[in-house]
Amino acid sequence: MMEIADFDSLRRAMAENSEEPEGPARNARAEQLLAEAERLNIPLAVIEALGHQLKVYNYSSEKDKMFVPFARLLRMWDERPEDFDEYETHSLHWVFKWMTAGMLDQPHIPLASIEKWLGEMEHRYRLAGHSERAVRSAEFSVAGHVGDLPRAERAYAAWLAADRDRMADCHACELHGQGGWQLKNGRDEAALELWGPVLDGEYSCAHEPHTVLASSLVPLLRLGRVDEARAHHLRGFRLVRPMESMRGAYADHVEFCALTGNEARGLELLAERPAYFTDTGQPRSRMDFLAVVALLMDRLTGLGLGGQRVPGPAGRAWTAGELAGHARAEALELAARFDARNGTSYVGDQLRERMAQRPLVDRLPLGVRAPRTTPAGPRTPAAPAPAPEPSEQPSFAALLAEARRLSDTLRPHALEAWAAVARAAEETEVDTYVRAEIADHTAMGRGPEGVELFERAAELYAEAGDEGEAIAARARAAYVRALSGELDEALAAIDEPYDRILALYADDATGVRQTASVLMSRARILMRRVHERSAGAGDAEQAVRELLALVGGRGGSDLRLVSRAAEGRAMLAELAEHAGDGERAGELFRQATAQFVGAELPWFAVEYEVRVAALAHEQGDLAEAERALRAALEHGGPFVEPVGRAQLHLQLAEVVGGRGAAEEAAEHALEAAHWADEAGQSGTLGAWARHQLGGFLLRQGRFAEAAEVLESALADLSAETHGDGAVVQTQWWLGDCLSELGEHHAAAERRLQAAEIARHWPEQHDHATLAHLAAESLGNAGLPAEADRAYTRAGELWRAMGNVHFLVRSLRARAWLALRTEAGPEGARRLMAEAVRECEAALDTAGDPAAAERLAGELGHTHRQFGDLLARSVPEDADDPAIQGAFEAALAQMTAAISVFAGLGEDGLHSRTAAELAAGWLEADLSRPAAATARARAVLDAYEGADPVDETVRARRAEARQLLEPTED
């Protein structure tokens, strides 16, 4: 910890403490620094330390501590205003606004005291010559809080009418407050329009766009703009997560989760901030937080999860039901205190309205991992629906008729209908044939475990006198054996049913349906042999064609026969694919899907559209692959299982993303992640979908959203399951996002982690690139020594690979870093000189003219940077000869750069003119106006007749004229 020996060291210590994370530790350090300031016996030191203390209290959970240091500052101002410099005078008046808001947040401070303080603020601002804009804004806050809406309207108008001056809040904060007023009056669109410049990044500050993003969530949901709401949640939560003082905005994100079916994520948010349940420094934000906790817990209870364990106040375990009651009681008690202070019921009314909200979206996928709080399938309403009027249960006859109808028409829920028949049959006397049907369909639902039930069904069918259906049931049992891996047994078992059904059919003793069923079972078994043993393709094809000969043209309205014909065509497609005829296979699969769709059985076409997509992808026909995948999603509708939906969306994301449609690809990857979570595959398929989603968001420049998604993906991605390439790529993308967001230290960590994995790969290009990028991030993070080591590592790799361009760039980067390390200017010059030598040596041996041209450009940029480095590395206290010597050396490098770029002709024009202008300024600094003028005119001559709209041309001409002005004078 820095020792405070004088005023300068105190200021450095306060600056360092300001950079620390919000919270009690930073506040405690501010208190220590105030004590140190008092020991210096310098009034301004105490004033600055009090101001620092007040600021860190304001940006923390201990806002109630602000009043003591401010009261002391105000007393010092009244007694000795001359002790305050200009900055501290401004700061004192600025924080009057914090005091007004802070008093509103504390229900124990009487309303009369707040009104008196408002008058004091107005008086002091008038004496200091400030506009009344900040005063009217503060009055608006007071009136709005107590529910005096007519007064709030008047204050709002006066606020906007008053002149903006140095005491007005920043544009971002003002727009947040103005949008909030629109929201309070039910004008969601108007609020979002006002917030637009903040959301777009035009205005920002320490707490914006953090709070505007949070405030925008519910109005966006109400307006149905769910994609924007999702984006604002991911982007905004990333901003508020590390800021302890933003409990109110954090509560908005919990509320968003409760209103969009993301209860599990809401619980994760609560678990991240346990202190928010109990921190008492700002009662109003605690009340807001507890209100949304109650909202979330009520939602869980309404879903039948009242007994689920949830995060809550420390000291005991909580269920959702228990926490709902506790949070509601605490929030209402705080609201009652505010209303008692204010003399209205406004705060309590608003709070109860907030806690009573109903979900605005059944389930809004977010892209980040979201474990289910309920089983997959339709979600239960948040509150019990009115009980339906009592009605009689369907009769057994009705249940049986419905089950038979669904089976005959091949509806997706036929087996569930037969399960209902089976349950009803337990209490009803049924005939033998019905018992056979029940056993048959129950066996169908058991998959490989259904052999014995199929055999039992066959016995019952025979007992009921339907020999054809009995044989079909035995054939189904044989096929199930094949599915269980008993292929030889299945082949042996199908022979007798096959021979018997053909004999019966020949004698008109059974129908086409039963015969087709047996032929289909036999064909399926023979197809299994082809797939598992690559044998018997001829037998399988013969069996399929026999089936098609039987059912061809017989379908009509008999959907079972249509289905047999379509499946048979798909089998021929599989055989064509097995034989290597992908084109024929694709055509046959398309014919099969057309038959299913034409018979209004589109869900059966899904599998074959996927096969078409795979074949098209192999053949490079990505348009057909995309068409087939879209068709599969459309045909499957709600009948595709969650894991199937996830896979379809993921495949479509990859195809669509491959043609550059990153926005649509992101939508499909988002759906894939959602359905993977629903299928319970968050850690496998879901992680891969999030990996893809993060990449597509990155491509669109949505860096904060991408970072949230990629961090979520990394929690589950593993080299064993997904491959180390996926892990490295995700780390790489995340590093790029963090770099764009200005989180350079974190970006460096991600890039170094990825580089460490790539270090073991045979091909080292990725390793070198990641090391180079990590070095760049370390430099931007203010860690020059660490950055130099990373650039050195990258440079060694570039040298080993013979990549001169990046070797030179790593040397140039190290040269600039050297100015910030012990190596100093001398070390920087050595490194830049080495970069020049590497370029020149490579240029001397370049045999390819194109490669030589690229190396020449690299050499020109190296000379140019060398010149800049020499000019900027002169110490401020250097004597004139030293300065002149450095500028002369810099000018020599600029001249060399100009010569190299001139040799590149038109391709090097802009680089040459930039170097020419830099040389001109050096000539001017060396008191050589004629030489400077000549260089400026050379630039103007170079652009004679150039396109005047070209931004670079315009900028170069403007700088050249600027250079000419002092030299001509």
Side-chain angles (χ1 to χ4, degrees):
M1 189 176 293
M2 179 184 296
E3 182 180 349
I4 308 302
D6 52 31
F7 200 173
D8 287 340
S9 60
L10 174 70
R11 282 174 165 165
R12 286 195 297 274
M14 289 190 294
E16 289 179 5
N17 195 45
S18 294
E19 298 301 318
E20 292 297 312
E22 295 178 353
R26 187 170 74 157
N27 295 353
R29 177 60 174 156
E31 292 161 6
Q32 292 174 356
L33 292 174
L34 175 59
E36 296 283 354
E38 289 169 336
R39 280 194 283 274
L40 294 177
N41 199 29
I42 301 172
L44 185 58
V46 175
I47 291 167
E48 290 188 11
L50 284 167
H52 174 67
Q53 188 182 79
L54 198 156
K55 181 178 180 180
V56 298
Y57 284 155
N58 183 59
Y59 292 107
S60 79
S61 61
E62 298 179 308
K63 291 179 183 284
D64 54 336
K65 292 185 176 182
M66 288 192 303
F67 304 110
V68 172
F70 183 73
R72 185 176 173 188
L73 273 172
L74 198 58
R75 187 172 64 251
M76 292 175 72
W77 168 263
D78 288 339
E79 293 173 354
R80 291 181 56 84
E82 63 273 17
D83 288 341
F84 289 70
D85 63 14
E86 183 180 357
Y87 179 81
E88 293 303 328
T89 299
H90 174 271
S91 296
L92 176 70
H93 287 82
W94 180 267
V95 295
F96 263 88
K97 299 179 294 184
W98 294 0
M99 294 304 107
T100 305
M103 289 178 180
L104 282 176
D105 292 342
Q106 306 293 330
H108 69 277
I109 298 178
L111 189 60
S113 298
I114 297 173
E115 294 285 5
K116 181 180 178 182
W117 179 258
L118 195 59
E120 178 76 7
M121 177 182 174
E122 183 173 10
H123 171 68
R124 288 181 181 266
Y125 271 40
R126 189 181 300 114
L127 287 178
H130 297 308
S131 163
E132 67 171 12
R133 188 177 182 94
V135 178
R136 298 286 77 84
S137 174
E139 181 188 6
F140 165 75
S141 298
V142 173
H145 171 67
V146 302
D148 188 345
L149 300 188
R151 182 188 178 191
E153 184 65 63
R154 293 192 300 273
Y156 181 83
W159 168 23
L160 269 60
D163 293 334
R164 278 190 59 83
D165 66 352
R166 295 175 64 212
M167 283 298 117
D169 283 340
C170 74
H171 284 289
C173 288
E174 285 206 331
L175 288 173
H176 182 219
Q178 291 162 20
W181 178 242
Q182 301 303 320
L183 215 60
K184 193 182 290 281
N185 286 282
R187 297 188 286 265
D188 290 345
E189 288 277 14
L192 290 164
E193 185 176 350
L194 275 168
W195 290 335
V198 184
L199 296 170
D200 293 341
E202 185 178 345
Y203 301 123
S204 63
C205 67
H207 277 185
E208 295 296 352
H210 315 42
T211 54
V212 162
L213 284 164
S215 298
S216 71
L217 296 172
V218 172
L220 284 170
L221 291 174
R222 283 197 293 255
L223 292 169
R225 293 159 60 176
V226 295
D227 290 338
E228 291 175 75
R230 176 197 301 113
H232 286 197
H233 169 64
L234 294 177
R235 178 180 160 204
F237 184 67
R238 186 172 189 83
L239 293 173
V240 304
R241 176 189 277 138
M243 301 181 71
E244 184 201 45
S245 62
M246 302 203 70
R247 179 163 53 185
Y250 201 99
D252 291 340
H253 287 280
V254 176
E255 177 183 42
F256 167 84
C257 293
L259 297 178
T260 58
N262 285 287
E263 299 86 5
R265 179 164 172 83
L267 294 177
E268 291 175 353
L269 267 57
L270 296 186
E272 284 190 31
R273 282 290 186 182
Y276 277 174
F277 288 98
T278 52
D279 282 343
T280 58
Q282 191 186 27
R284 183 154 60 160
S285 72
R286 180 167 180 257
M287 175 184 71
D288 291 336
F289 180 76
L290 290 169
V292 300
V293 170
L295 173 68
L296 177 61
M297 296 306 123
D298 284 348
R299 174 65 177 154
L300 288 169
T301 302
L303 290 168
L305 298 168
Q308 178 174 320
R309 290 281 298 274
V310 294
R316 56 159 290 186
W318 295 89
T319 66
E322 292 167 345
L323 186 56
H326 170 81
R328 175 175 287 97
E330 292 275 306
L332 289 172
E333 190 275 331
L334 284 167
R337 288 169 57 194
F338 279 109
D339 284 340
R341 188 269 303 274
N342 300 339
T344 68
S345 65
Y346 188 72
V347 173
D349 293 343
Q350 296 290 107
L351 190 80
R352 280 182 280 272
E353 186 177 320
R354 188 175 196 181
M355 291 190 292
Q357 292 177 98
R358 298 292 300 275
L360 296 169
V361 180
D362 180 55
R363 178 73 184 274
L364 178 62
L366 301 179
V368 294
R369 183 173 185 176
R372 293 199 314 269
T373 50
T374 56
R379 295 172 66 82
T380 308
E389 292 296 322
S391 61
E392 293 183 6
Q393 291 294 322
S395 67
F396 180 81
L399 289 172
L400 180 61
E402 176 65 5
R404 285 172 172 168
R405 183 189 71 79
L406 293 175
S407 291
D408 286 343
T409 56
L410 300 176
R411 298 299 102 177
H413 300 302
L415 291 182
E416 288 90 331
W418 279 106
V421 171
R423 289 191 296 271
E426 294 174 0
E427 302 175 2
T428 307
E429 187 71 29
V430 297
D431 64 34
T432 303
Y433 194 86
V434 172
R435 286 191 289 126
E437 289 179 289
I438 292 172
D440 200 5
H441 289 91
T442 304
M444 292 177 192
R446 292 192 181 177
E449 299 176 0
V451 174
E452 292 183 4
L453 266 177
F454 276 128
E455 297 287 1
R456 176 59 180 156
E459 293 171 2
L460 290 169
Y461 280 130
E463 184 180 335
D466 192 335
E467 187 63 21
E469 203 61 58
I471 296 170
R474 289 196 178 91
R476 287 191 281 273
Y479 175 54
V480 168
R481 290 186 185 279
L483 290 178
S484 305
E486 301 174 10
L487 187 55
D488 292 332
E489 293 84 346
L491 287 166
I494 196 63
D495 287 342
E496 183 189 0
Y498 172 67
D499 292 338
R500 289 184 61 196
I501 202 72
L502 290 180
L504 284 177
Y505 182 67
D507 292 340
D508 288 330
T510 191
V512 176
R513 267 198 183 191
Q514 291 83 358
T515 307
S517 178
V518 175
L519 294 184
M520 177 57 77
S521 293
R522 180 170 178 268
R524 286 171 175 171
I525 292 169
L526 291 170
M527 289 295 296
R528 295 290 295 184
R529 183 170 64 173
V530 173
H531 291 309
E532 292 184 13
R533 300 180 181 176
S534 294
D539 292 341
E541 182 173 353
Q542 183 180 349
V544 173
R545 293 197 180 281
E546 185 178 11
L547 167 70
L548 290 173
L550 175 69
V551 300
R554 291 175 176 268
S557 60
D558 191 330
L559 294 182
R560 284 186 179 274
L561 297 183
V562 173
S563 173
R564 301 295 188 205
E567 186 178 347
R569 194 137 334 253
M571 286 177 173
L572 291 179
E574 291 179 34
L575 289 169
E577 184 180 8
H578 182 76
D581 190 349
E583 188 172 339
R584 174 66 175 156
E587 179 57 34
L588 287 166
F589 277 132
R590 281 189 285 271
Q591 290 176 16
T593 61
Q595 282 184 278
F596 278 124
V597 173
E600 298 184 358
L601 300 171
W603 46 87
F604 287 113
V606 172
E607 176 187 353
Y608 305 124
E609 290 285 18
V610 172
R611 300 290 289 274
V612 169
L615 287 166
H617 205 285
E618 288 175 9
Q619 295 161 12
D621 188 351
L622 298 184
E624 173 62 7
E626 182 177 335
R627 181 212 63 76
L629 289 168
R630 291 187 188 280
L633 274 172
E634 179 184 349
H635 296 332
F639 305 118
V640 179
E641 290 296 314
V643 67
R645 287 205 208 184
Q647 291 167 338
L648 284 172
H649 279 293
L650 190 51
Q651 290 179 57
L652 195 50
E654 292 172 353
V655 172
V656 171
R659 63 172 169 79
E663 187 172 348
E664 186 187 350
E667 293 172 3
H668 286 295
L670 176 67
E671 287 293 320
H674 164 65
W675 289 110
D677 289 341
E678 288 292 304
Q681 293 197 20
S682 294
T684 50
L685 188 60
W688 181 256
R690 276 180 269 281
H691 157 82
Q692 294 282 43
L693 173 59
F696 292 131
L697 291 170
L698 172 61
R699 279 200 221 172
Q700 298 173 64
R702 295 160 66 178
F703 304 116
E705 296 167 66
E708 283 291 301
V709 171
L710 292 168
E711 285 173 346
S712 180
L714 276 173
D716 292 312
L717 283 172
S718 68
E720 295 75 21
T721 303
H722 305 93
D724 56 6
V727 178
V728 167
Q729 184 64 80
T730 305
Q731 296 274 25
W732 193 328
W733 283 337
L734 181 53
D736 291 348
C737 292
L738 295 171
S739 179
E740 293 289 345
L741 294 169
E743 300 176 35
H744 298 297
H745 196 283
E749 288 182 0
R750 295 300 184 179
R751 288 167 167 175
L752 287 171
Q753 289 167 5
E756 183 58 26
I757 298 173
R759 181 170 68 88
H760 303 287
W761 293 354
E763 210 288 320
Q764 288 288 284
H765 185 271
D766 286 344
H767 179 202
T769 303
L770 286 161
H772 200 112
L773 290 170
E776 181 182 296
S777 293
L778 289 165
N780 290 331
L783 300 168
E786 292 85 346
D788 182 73
R789 287 196 292 272
Y791 274 125
T792 301
R793 175 184 176 188
E796 291 168 353
L797 292 166
W798 294 130
R799 188 188 299 278
M801 287 185 287
N803 191 323
V804 178
H805 293 276
F806 279 95
L807 168 61
V808 167
R809 291 171 193 179
S810 67
L811 289 167
R812 292 199 308 242
R814 289 181 62 202
W816 286 105
L817 286 169
L819 296 178
R820 297 154 57 190
T821 67
E822 294 179 358
E826 189 59 37
R829 286 191 287 272
R830 282 198 301 270
L831 286 162
M832 200 66 84
E834 184 181 350
V836 170
R837 288 194 299 274
E838 291 287 351
C839 258
E840 290 175 338
L843 193 55
D844 288 342
T845 59
D848 178 6
E853 187 172 321
R854 290 194 300 273
L855 284 166
E858 201 71 68
L859 177 60
H861 288 298
T862 305
H863 280 302
R864 168 68 200 275
Q865 287 200 34
F866 201 169
D868 285 338
L869 181 140
L870 290 168
R872 297 180 191 181
S873 61
V874 183
E876 292 182 4
D877 57 353
D879 55 23
D880 289 344
I883 295 173
Q884 181 162 351
F887 282 8
E888 291 284 8
L891 183 58
Q893 292 294 332
M894 292 297 179
T895 303
I898 293 166
S899 176
V900 173
F901 288 135
L904 296 175
E906 191 66 25
D907 290 341
L909 176 61
H910 291 330
S911 297
R912 175 170 69 84
T913 54
E916 194 82 69
L917 288 166
W921 291 113
L922 286 168
E923 300 276 22
D925 289 337
L926 289 166
S927 302
R928 299 171 186 166
T933 297
R935 293 189 183 278
R937 293 198 181 282
V939 171
L940 293 174
D941 291 344
Y943 288 121
E944 186 70 34
D947 182 0
V949 179
D950 188 308
E951 285 296 325
T952 303
V953 173
R954 293 170 63 184
R956 295 282 194 275
R957 283 175 170 169
E959 188 178 350
R961 294 190 188 100
Q962 185 183 359
L963 178 59
L964 280 173
E965 289 174 3
T967 56
E968 289 180 342
D969 290 343

